[in-house]
Amino acid sequence: MPEPTAPSSRGAIDLAAFKTPQPEPIHGTADAGAPTWVRSVNQELFPEIVALSQQVPVIVSLGSPRSPASVQLDATLASLVDAKGGTLALATVDAEAEPAIAQAFQVTQVPAVIALVNGQPVPLFQGSAEVSQIQSLIEELLGLGVQHGVAGTIAPLGTTAGATAPAPLPPLHQEALDAIESGDLPAAENAYKQALNEKPNDNDAAIGLNQVRLLMRTQDKDLAAVRAAGAANPDDLAAQLDVADMDLIGGHVEDAFSRLVGFIGRHAGDEKEAARARLVELYSVVGVADQRVVASRQKLARVLF
């Protein structure tokens, strides 16, 4: 577990960028009426969360409601945090709706999970993680809080009674999320494919399918070996696709895009089309409205036409 970042570091939060906090609805995952230490955070509310981190460690989950991985991760985090009974809190952030918060943490890919200890950021992980890994990180975070005098217990941030229940997912989408949670990625892939067979214009299913396929392609890959193969074989399609996948999973979004755009510009025929198709998939995973996707599409257009 890294030490909290010093106030003058690049990762420090600039409170001047945020306004006076206003009340925000509480969103939790417990039964109706149960206490919760989970709060959905926007830019106006963020200073309150930073102040709260002077009493207990606060986990900040930056994600997207369009990302099945983000939705599932937030549910897992909420359950684990609420089980601690006020020794820490969880702030969930829609990174697309609140880009200022994502930029303050220098987040380049969601889901991303960071902690605040006494107002200072502590990176935890990006992407998905096993429940056992998250539990271990929570214990380390609580220990870090003790070291820095942030080891209190806070009252619930609210109850789930007033929370707005999210609309239920379509059955096949829920089946896919359940499969992801259990680690059965092929079953999740099949569920999303069936959803698309039934409704070809199901954009959420298409995004979910691309996300699952990315996880399947990278789950057993060794980063060092993939990077070495990519460096040694700059014109090998499979090697470059593998590096791009690993870059995206690791949060190096622009590097992944630039690598494939460069490959497309140097090649023709089937290899060029395969690289273009993979790049479009990765655009979907990141989000077509993301400015990095917009910039990369412009570069892609130049090498294609």
Side-chain angles (χ1 to χ4, degrees), residues 148-191:
H148 291 270
V150 181
T153 300
I154 59 171
L157 300 178
T159 69
T160 57
T164 302
L169 291 173
L172 287 169
H173 290 229
Q174 186 62 57
E175 180 180 330
L177 285 178
D178 292 343
I180 292 170
E181 183 179 10
S182 67
D184 191 348
L185 295 179
E189 180 186 32
N190 288 335

Side-chain angles (χ1 to χ4, degrees), residues 49-304:
I49 296 302
V50 176
L52 191 64
S53 74
Q54 297 173 7
Q55 302 176 57
V56 296
V58 178
I59 296 173
V60 182
S61 176
L62 296 108
S64 166
R66 298 189 299 106
S67 165
S70 292
V71 173
Q72 183 58 52
L73 177 60
D74 282 352
T76 299
L77 287 169
S79 177
L80 295 175
V81 166
D82 281 346
K84 291 297 182 180
T87 56
L88 74 164
L90 170 65
T92 61
V93 179
D94 181 346
E96 294 178 350
E98 302 293 338
I101 299 178
Q103 290 167 9
F105 283 116
Q106 298 182 338
V107 165
T108 58
Q109 180 186 2
V110 297
V113 181
I114 296 158
L116 287 172
V117 177
N118 204 20
Q120 299 305 319
V122 181
L124 296 182
F125 63 91
Q126 285 189 318
S128 300
E130 298 293 331
V131 172
S132 59
Q133 294 173 313
I134 299 174
Q135 289 173 322
S136 295
L137 284 171
I138 285 175
E139 294 305 321
E140 291 183 45
L141 182 60
L142 290 171
L144 186 64
V146 171
Q147 295 174 29
H148 291 270
V150 181
T153 300
I154 59 171
L157 300 178
T159 69
T160 57
T164 302
L169 291 173
L172 287 169
H173 290 229
Q174 186 62 57
E175 180 180 330
L177 285 178
D178 292 343
I180 292 170
E181 183 179 10
S182 67
D184 191 348
L185 295 179
E189 180 186 32
N190 288 335
Y192 280 131
K193 287 169 66 176
Q194 186 177 343
L196 284 168
N197 286 337
E198 295 180 3
K199 187 179 177 183
N201 63 344
D202 187 341
N203 187 56
D204 288 341
I207 293 171
L209 180 61
N210 288 337
Q211 291 170 336
V212 168
R213 285 176 170 170
L214 175 62
L215 293 173
M216 293 174 68
R217 293 195 302 265
T218 57
Q219 64 178 343
D220 296 322
K221 296 286 176 64
D222 179 80
L223 178 60
V226 167
R227 288 199 177 281
N233 303 281
D235 292 313
D236 181 83
L237 173 63
Q240 298 310 305
L241 293 179
D242 284 347
V243 179
D245 282 346
M246 297 299 281
D247 275 345
L248 200 77
I249 285 288
H252 305 292
V253 176
E254 293 94 336
D255 291 343
F257 291 167
S258 295
R259 179 178 295 274
L260 293 186
V261 169
F263 185 93
I264 292 166
R266 298 193 306 272
H267 295 80
D270 291 343
E271 288 192 334
K272 180 175 185 175
E273 175 54 27
R276 187 203 65 79
R278 176 65 58 80
L279 183 57
V280 171
E281 282 189 27
L282 299 187
Y283 287 160
S284 169
V285 170
V286 174
V288 294
D290 189 288
Q291 288 304 306
R292 295 163 297 183
V293 172
V294 173
S296 181
R297 282 190 182 279
Q298 294 172 348
K299 295 175 183 177
L300 175 62
R302 286 196 289 270
V303 299
L304 287 176

